[in-house]
Amino acid sequence: MIENPKCVIDARNIVKIYQNGCEELKVLDDISLQVLKNDFSVILGPSGSGKSTLMNILGCLDLPTSGQYFLDNTDILNAKENQLAAIRNQKIGFVFQKFNLMPRLTALQNVMLPLLYRGVNEEEAIEKAKEKLDLLGLADRLSHRPPELSGGQQQRVAIARAIVGNPHLLLADEPTGNLDSKSSAGAMEIFKELNCQGNTIVIITHDVEVAEQVEKMFYIRDGKIYDKD
Amino acid sequence: MFIPEAGDYLKLRQLIKIVLINIYHNKTRSLLTTLGVIVGTATIFLVVAIGNGGEAQVNEQYSRLNVGTVIVMPASRGRVVDPLTENDVHLFMESDNIANAFPVLQGSGDINYDNYTQGSRFMAIYPEFQASNHLTIEQGRELNQEDESRSNRCAVLGAELANTLTDGYASEIVGQSININNRKFEVVGIYSRVGDGGSGMSNDDSAFIPYSTGRKYLLGSRANPIIMAQATGLETVQSALQDIKAVLDETHRMGGAEQFRIMDAGSRLVAAQESARTMSMLLLSVAAIVLVVSGIGIMNVMFVTVKERTKEIGTLKAIGAKKSEILYQFLVEAILISLAGGILGVIIGYSTVPVLEFFELPALPSISGVLIGLIFSVITGVFFGFYPAMKAAELNPIDALSYE
Ligand SMILES: Nc1ncnc2c1ncn2[C@@H]1O[C@H](COP(=O)(O)OP(=O)(O)OP(=O)(O)O)[C@@H](O)[C@H]1O
Ligand SMILES: [Mg+2]
């Protein structure tokens, strides 16, 4: 096995099987993919094809049934729990399909969280979180709690939280799904900007318009992956 | 390429801030959770206070009377048909179990000093009475053997009486003369304060004169003494009581020992001590039950909280919270809730003390009571908060995230 130092994501023969009673559901079937440093890739596919399942594995939130996964050459399947926590905190920014914001914390506090769990002091965390929220056009919503925000605004808070720690790898599960075309274009601009700064980005999308803007595409259907350059 | 180390943790201040936000948003539930802890801690605080109060009361009684002291007095309050005699005293002294015995006479009358008159109790005593009753001299001198044999007309006053007669300038009375029932006595000393016995007249309010003097000048030879005997030791008190009964049966054939009250300080104190201890144990078990019940309450609420926040736990894990950080967060929440309950409980317990005193239950609040109460409340929080917190921390991020 030749290690490619430019390879951020190196997933090999990933299989994910869900056990529903005695019935087995093979959601990912022998998926291999590589994402290089500074790539901007999208994953396309019909609903229920396994995109989120794959993304969760790539984000170290879930483990495959079998296969191998190297993130920055770290063997994720054999990593210790605390190391995984640190990787999730410092290397990966994850935008969830359903936002998953903390309902009792304000927008600002939500965005500060990844930094706080990194041991950054409060003043610095406030400053950086404000900067990102400003970037996403939420400067006037800092002290609103998620229930007081619109879906699109919540999604932008979720994006701000994912990028606040300057992660090497940004994973976004349908980040523009809840945004109007204008906001959607704005979010894509931010991703592109991050990509220009050297970040590696993988996003899931249904939106063909979004997909056409990027250089690399993976297509998933029935648990199989197809490269579509 | 850099591999993150697992060395950086959420700062405690931030952890507490997040926990406080969560507690604040669940005000009602948090308060309900603490109710049990409040009651439990208040009970523990009161148990310790009552235990201390009982002990203090017993100790005070000990300090007022020698443990080996036995008091014999006529049982009837009215006219005494068959009084105790000097002969009884001599026969008591013949017992091997009795070190000493002496009669004491009691009377009451007007005591006059410098145009001020005060109705009071006076006691005619042998010098030995003073040691048996822990009477020590504050000023002047004790009554002694010479006063007894010469029937000196001298008196030693209790602290309170001396104060009353002199309107606060007690020291001036030593060396002066007073009148007891219009007989002149010289005050030779003042005893140190012994404190309120809780049962009417105390030695602080009395005047003391030599036994022979009392007989001769104030009470007459038909006076009717009580006898104080001193057992040779704590172990011999029971045998001494037997001997005393035997003597009384022998010398007072008509009514026998039945017509006398025989009290021994030691066994009364032991009984008092025991009942204080029983009371404490009873309250302690109540407190323990309350705490266990409230602990289960905490566990219940923590479980519901964990269930409700499962998705949030998943989110926290996704953004990099470690297992230990999740565990701490829920533990700190349980501890803060129970500690707040503990503090409230101590305050409520403290304000209940006057009520107990109203019902004449001696309660003595103490720092140790506060500490024990708080420690138990925190232990309850940790113990019953740990399991749900552990369950929360162990969740796999994706399982927590997809929990509905
Ligand atoms: N925990 C689970 N247990 C059993 N089956 C599951 C579980 N999670 C997902 N699945 C199944 O796996 C398949 C893929 O789900 P996934 O969420 O990855 O789809 P997706 O491609 O992200 O769809 P969408 O575009 O609608 O978000 C679905 O058929 C789903 O029913
Ligand atoms: Mg999906």
Side-chain angles (χ1 to χ4, degrees):
Chain A
M1 162 192 3
I2 306 147
E3 286 195 355
N4 182 349
K6 285 203 67 182
C7 200
V8 178
I9 289 176
D10 184 359
R12 302 174 188 183
N13 314 107
I14 300 284
V15 173
K16 181 74 185 180
I17 297 172
Y18 285 118
Q19 200 83 38
N20 265 351
C22 51
E23 209 175 313
E24 280 192 354
L25 183 66
K26 203 177 222 174
V27 178
L28 300 178
D29 186 5
D30 198 31
I31 284 187
S32 296
L33 84 161
Q34 290 197 329
V35 174
L36 300 185
K37 190 164 165 43
N38 213 11
D39 271 359
F40 194 149
S41 327
V42 296
I43 298 176
L44 272 169
S47 183
S49 56
K51 304 184 295 296
S52 294
T53 307
L54 176 63
M55 197 63 130
N56 291 336
I57 291 171
L58 297 182
C60 302
L61 302 175
D62 200 2
L63 294 175
T65 311
S66 69
Q68 283 181 302
Y69 176 33
F70 298 92
L71 179 74
D72 277 349
N73 294 319
T74 306
D75 183 357
I76 295 303
L77 271 62
N78 291 312
K80 297 221 168 59
E81 209 175 287
N82 271 359
Q83 199 185 3
L84 282 180
I87 288 172
R88 289 194 284 260
N89 182 242
Q90 300 178 28
K91 300 191 107 177
I92 302 173
F94 205 108
V95 183
F96 293 95
Q97 191 169 4
K98 292 170 189 160
F99 328 135
N100 290 344
L101 297 172
M102 305 299 276
R104 287 177 297 276
L105 299 184
T106 63
L108 182 67
Q109 287 167 332
N110 263 288
V111 178
M112 285 163 66
L113 268 189
L115 297 177
L116 296 180
Y117 276 99
R118 198 183 285 193
V120 170
N121 68 45
E122 195 175 357
E123 294 72 33
E124 197 184 330
I126 288 177
E127 195 184 310
K128 287 192 169 160
K130 270 187 179 161
E131 191 185 300
K132 298 299 177 203
L133 283 165
D134 199 21
L135 187 69
L136 284 146
L138 287 169
D140 54 348
R141 293 285 184 277
L142 298 184
S143 51
H144 286 236
R145 297 194 169 76
E148 303 154 5
L149 295 170
S150 74
Q153 287 169 332
Q154 289 183 44
Q155 191 145 33
R156 280 182 280 160
V157 175
I159 294 172
R161 185 179 64 185
I163 64 177
V164 74
N166 276 328
H168 292 240
L169 176 62
L170 184 70
L171 302 174
D173 194 346
E174 308 226 24
T176 57
N178 288 280
L179 302 182
D180 57 33
S181 56
K182 186 164 156 271
S183 304
S184 167
M188 280 307 288
E189 283 312 309
I190 288 160
F191 290 139
K192 281 181 194 164
E193 172 65 27
L194 286 167
N195 184 235
C196 285
Q197 288 166 13
N199 291 293
T200 311
I201 296 177
V202 180
I203 61 178
I204 293 178
T205 186
H206 275 118
D207 192 341
V208 189
E209 210 173 300
V210 168
E212 277 168 353
Q213 296 175 39
V214 301
E215 57 235 44
K216 196 157 183 188
M217 251 195 267
F218 297 100
Y219 190 77
I220 295 191
R221 203 177 60 205
D222 298 334
K224 301 255 191 226
I225 197 161
Y226 307 91
D227 261 9
K228 259 199 174 179
D229 279 306
Chain B
M1 209 161 283
F2 113 110
I3 306 283
E5 283 297 319
D8 300 313
Y9 284 87
L10 181 67
K11 292 192 165 53
L12 183 67
R13 220 164 66 90
Q14 304 300 332
L15 179 85
I16 289 176
K17 227 176 196 172
I18 293 172
V19 168
L20 287 179
I21 290 174
N22 285 331
I23 292 179
Y24 179 78
H25 279 268
N26 277 316
K27 288 182 284 277
T28 323
R29 176 189 298 171
S30 304
L31 187 71
L32 287 176
T33 315
T34 53
L35 275 182
V37 179
I38 293 174
V39 175
T41 314
T43 316
I44 287 189
F45 176 81
L46 287 176
V47 167
V48 176
I50 287 172
N52 283 346
E55 200 171 306
Q57 199 182 36
V58 168
N59 283 343
E60 203 189 311
Q61 287 176 358
Y62 258 114
S63 74
R64 212 172 292 132
L65 215 56
N66 258 343
V67 193
T69 305
V70 178
I71 300 171
V72 186
M73 58 171 74
S76 61
R77 289 207 164 246
R79 240 175 63 82
V80 178
V81 193
D82 191 6
L84 292 162
T85 63
E86 306 274 318
N87 188 36
D88 292 328
V89 177
H90 293 306
L91 290 173
F92 289 168
M93 290 237 264
E94 276 171 18
S95 156
D96 287 340
N97 299 309
I98 293 172
N100 203 356
F102 44 84
V104 178
L105 283 170
Q106 262 191 52
S108 58
D110 288 337
I111 299 184
N112 172 277
Y113 170 70
D114 199 16
N115 293 331
Y116 181 82
T117 305
Q118 162 83 20
S120 179
R121 176 174 82 157
F122 59 87
M123 296 177 88
I125 59 170
Y126 276 88
E128 291 90 333
F129 177 94
Q130 300 167 106
S132 291
N133 287 273
H134 292 274
L135 288 173
T136 55
I137 278 294
E138 174 81 29
Q139 207 192 335
R141 67 166 178 84
E142 286 193 329
L143 295 175
N144 56 34
Q145 214 55 57
E146 198 184 309
D147 296 326
E148 181 59 38
S149 49
R150 292 194 182 171
S151 302
N152 283 340
R153 292 172 69 156
C154 59
V156 179
L157 304 181
E160 202 51 54
L161 178 62
N163 243 333
T164 316
L165 289 176
T166 58
D167 202 16
Y169 298 95
S171 54
E172 72 178 33
I173 204 169
V174 177
Q176 306 294 317
S177 45
I178 56 170
N179 289 318
I180 303 178
N181 284 351
N182 296 322
R183 308 268 171 163
K184 203 168 176 185
F185 287 83
E186 188 198 347
V187 177
V188 295
I190 301 172
Y191 291 122
S192 304
R193 187 177 300 276
V194 283
D196 178 25
S199 51
M201 276 289 189
S202 102
N203 286 341
D204 288 337
D205 301 307
S206 308
F208 298 85
I209 53 176
Y211 187 79
S212 56
T213 316
R215 253 192 109 117
K216 204 159 157 191
Y217 298 106
L218 283 177
L219 295 154
S221 50
R222 285 195 305 131
N224 165 11
I226 66 173
I227 299 175
M228 283 185 117
Q230 191 71 46
T232 50
L234 196 53
E235 333 71 58
T236 56
V237 171
Q238 289 310 319
S239 328
L241 289 174
Q242 296 299 326
D243 294 348
I244 287 171
K245 279 192 190 117
V247 169
L248 291 175
D249 278 335
E250 187 63 32
T251 52
H252 299 265
R253 299 236 164 174
M254 269 164 42
E258 291 296 297
Q259 58 187 322
F260 299 100
R261 228 162 84 183
I262 306 170
M263 297 181 299
D264 86 281
S267 61
R268 254 168 61 210
L269 292 177
V270 168
Q273 241 172 351
E274 232 147 53
S275 71
R277 212 172 290 142
T278 315
M279 185 73 180
S280 285
M281 288 308 293
L282 200 79
L283 280 169
L284 203 66
S285 39
V286 170
I289 292 169
V290 170
L291 272 184
V292 167
V293 170
S294 67
I296 293 171
I298 289 183
M299 187 149 78
N300 242 318
V301 173
M302 289 306 288
F303 261 124
V304 173
T305 309
V306 166
K307 277 246 182 304
E308 254 183 19
R309 295 202 211 138
T310 302
K311 233 184 157 70
E312 292 171 35
I313 293 167
T315 307
L316 288 179
K317 288 206 145 185
I319 61 172
K322 294 176 195 59
K323 187 172 158 180
S324 52
E325 286 169 325
I326 304 280
L327 178 68
Y328 293 152
Q329 180 180 326
F330 281 90
L331 265 188
V332 167
E333 185 165 334
I335 291 172
L336 282 186
I337 288 180
S338 52
L339 189 63
I343 290 170
L344 269 177
V346 166
I347 293 171
I348 288 174
Y350 199 90
S351 42
T352 317
V353 169
V355 179
L356 290 184
E357 272 162 7
F358 180 78
F359 289 109
E360 285 180 357
L361 248 179
L364 204 69
S366 63
I367 294 292
S368 65
V370 173
L371 288 182
I372 292 173
L374 290 185
I375 287 170
F376 267 96
S377 71
V378 170
I379 287 177
T380 311
V382 173
F383 187 81
F384 290 98
F386 190 82
Y387 187 65
M390 198 64 209
K391 279 274 166 244
E394 265 171 0
L395 286 172
N396 187 12
I398 196 65
D399 292 340
L401 277 169
S402 52
Y403 181 89
E404 290 299 340

